Amino acid sequence: MPPAPPPGRRKGASPARPAGTRVPDAIVIGAGLVGLASALALAERGLRVLLLADVRRGEASPAAGGLLAPSVDPVAGAALDFAITARDRFPAYVAALVAATGVDVPIRCDGVLHVAETEDDALLLQAALTAEHARANGAEWVDASALARLEPSLSPLPGAVLHPRDGVVNNLVLMRALKARLGAHSRVTVAAEAADALIVRDGAVAVRTRSNVELRAPTVVLAGGVWSTQLAGLPRPLPVEPARGQMLSVAATLVNRPVLGRDGYLIPRGDGRTLLGGTLERVGYDADTTPDGLALVRSLCEALCPAVVQARTLNGWAGLRPMSPDHLPIIDREPEAPGLIYATGHSRNGVLLAPLTGDAVAQLATGQTPEFDLGPFRVGRFVEARGP
């Protein structure tokens, strides 16, 4: 049995109603980055969209660090191609949002360091540089002396791989820009309401809200993150479970670019703060921080950067990543209910993959052949892996 979800709709949220008396062309469930990007992509292709924007404590998108780093611990094949393209298109995506909304979204794509904490780590990282994707993306080994010049606050380390095209975006400001764009869009209606169940009849899909309103549309997009699995009426079980990540913000600029170790990582915000992270915990839907978890984050980051010891903590928080068994998202049309499109299970890469996922969702919804091979993200792959 899956763990019970936390309370859903916030107090005071109004029940959802379609705009006027017209049935929307698409209903999007979920207002994290994947849901927001999907709603915008659908609306930009001329569809009338109803976005069910229930806000839940522990959502992954606002809790993330904003890394755009497909080169670190990369996947393979078409999934890697998708991730690399998502990274490369991100600056243009952000520029278009800034032009449309005036919200200045901080983004940097000038490199991420994956550091070796031991000599064995160094050998493994150097061996990985022979891979085709590493060569194609300009990855290079930075020895100990060069690393000390690049990042003087780091501990003496054997070296690092510099991924020069990876980067980071301020995910909170990105969400603000997307919400501003959707709020002003003539084809988007936003309702602060939670979906409670899917109703599948003869391949068509309707949504029943927690306030017992039944909403219909030719397309329903399930982009609810870890809460996607909690809807009643799903045509199949979705193997997506929450994994808690705890993070800290400290009042210091400790590094010049994102630095990732074996477990801990540091992300400069560009405003005098540095984000520290490093936990991945299977604790169900518990989105609370813990003293032990936050102490572990500091300890992991202190091992990489001794200056963390002196840095004043500003705040701590936790988010629930929607983890699939293979850490790849589910982006697919439901075979038994063609009106339902899945966009969930993005694991640690929800920020990176959100805009391109939105494009893929819109292509599926409008009957276009997807621009990319979505085979690695098909919903049936988990059953196939188990065999008959």
Side-chain angles (χ1 to χ4, degrees), residues 16 21 42 74 95-96 108 110 126 151 190 201 209 217 236 252 273 320 332 345 365 374-375 379:
T21 58
L42 289 162
R108 291 179 56 183
D110 56 356
Q126 287 175 299
E151 296 291 348
V190 181
R201 301 189 186 101
T209 71
R236 67 178 69 219
R273 295 178 298 146
L320 303 176
D332 197 7
L374 301 181
V379 69

Side-chain angles (χ1 to χ4, degrees), residues 146-170:
L147 179 60
R149 290 192 297 272
L150 278 175
E151 296 291 348
S153 70
L154 294 183
S155 301
L157 295 168
V161 174
L162 174 63
H163 298 285
R165 300 177 189 172
D166 287 359
V168 64
V169 66
N170 188 313

